Amino acid sequence: MHFFHAPQSPPERHPGVELEHPPWLGPPRDVLGGVVPIEQLLFRNQELVIALASAAAFPQGVELRLRLAARHPEGGDEDVWWDRRELLFGGPHRHRVRPGKPLADELLRFGVRFPGGAKATTVDRHPGENPHGPVLRDSGEGGGGGGDRFVASRRNLWLWPLPPPEPFEFVIEWPAFDVPLTFVTVDGEPIAMAARRAQPYWP
């Protein structure tokens, strides 16, 4: 079973009006999002944890906030550990998605799928103007730290538009870290409620 696919070559772009900050690119810069805890483990083994910690919801979409942590297991292979440690600190960004090419095992993949069948992934390619939703964008690593035997990092994803107030699937896969294709159900109702609490910085 496959969920993630490399995108096709992008369609030819046509001149158009460039928006200052289109809503599919990321959260609005002048709005305080309504925060809702999710606190859901997406994957866990003896070496790695990936968790969906919380969400900041806006009328236009939701920022999903993830936490990743890895540790060197007792007796584990030293070379494998250091390769994986590098991946956790942004190494996947060196493995760009190339249209028509297989996805690199080092590429950490996220996705969502809604009850009606619509889905979005972080490996999708979208046109620069007026894409059809849903769109899921990976803003990359948001900082972290650690040492020789333990590391932790953060990642933020932007999902546009706001998901419906019903359960949907959150999907991850990371072959280089032995993370299989994994589906976890997330309740969209608290996210929709949090979006109603979003506050513009200025009236």
Side-chain angles (χ1 to χ4, degrees), residues 73-161:
E74 191 70 29
D77 185 279
E78 199 74 18
D79 291 335
V80 170
W81 160 248
W82 284 102
D83 287 345
R84 290 179 168 183
R85 185 184 187 281
E86 182 181 6
L87 285 177
L88 203 66
F89 276 112
H93 292 288
R94 300 175 189 170
H95 302 278
R96 300 297 182 185
V97 177
R98 294 185 297 168
K101 301 294 183 181
L103 299 175
D105 287 348
E106 293 81 4
L107 184 67
L108 173 55
R109 309 148 196 189
F110 298 104
V112 295
R113 184 165 63 185
F114 299 112
K119 75 172 189 177
T121 79
T122 53
V123 301
D124 295 340
R125 184 181 294 274
H126 302 283
E129 302 169 7
N130 302 320
H132 297 289
V135 171
L136 185 67
R137 293 177 57 88
D138 186 352
S139 62
E141 193 216 352
D148 289 346
R149 290 295 181 265
F150 174 84
V151 290
S153 67
R154 301 185 295 270
R155 298 180 84 90
N156 294 332
L157 309 178
W158 175 247
L159 175 59
W160 171 87

Side-chain angles (χ1 to χ4, degrees), residues 4-80:
F4 298 96
H5 303 278
Q8 300 300 313
S9 298
E12 181 181 354
R13 295 188 62 182
H14 300 284
V17 178
E18 188 71 23
L19 300 177
E20 181 180 349
H21 187 70
W24 55 86
L25 287 183
R29 302 184 181 111
D30 59 352
V31 176
L32 178 65
V35 177
V36 56
I38 298 179
E39 301 167 1
Q40 193 157 357
L41 291 177
L42 306 174
F43 177 83
R44 177 171 60 183
N45 63 16
Q46 293 300 312
E47 301 176 31
L48 176 72
V49 168
I50 304 176
L52 181 53
S54 62
F58 305 81
Q60 303 94 331
V62 58
E63 183 179 71
L64 302 169
R65 298 171 175 177
L66 294 111
R67 300 293 181 264
L68 294 84
R71 65 180 181 178
H72 190 309
E74 191 70 29
D77 185 279
E78 199 74 18
D79 291 335
V80 170

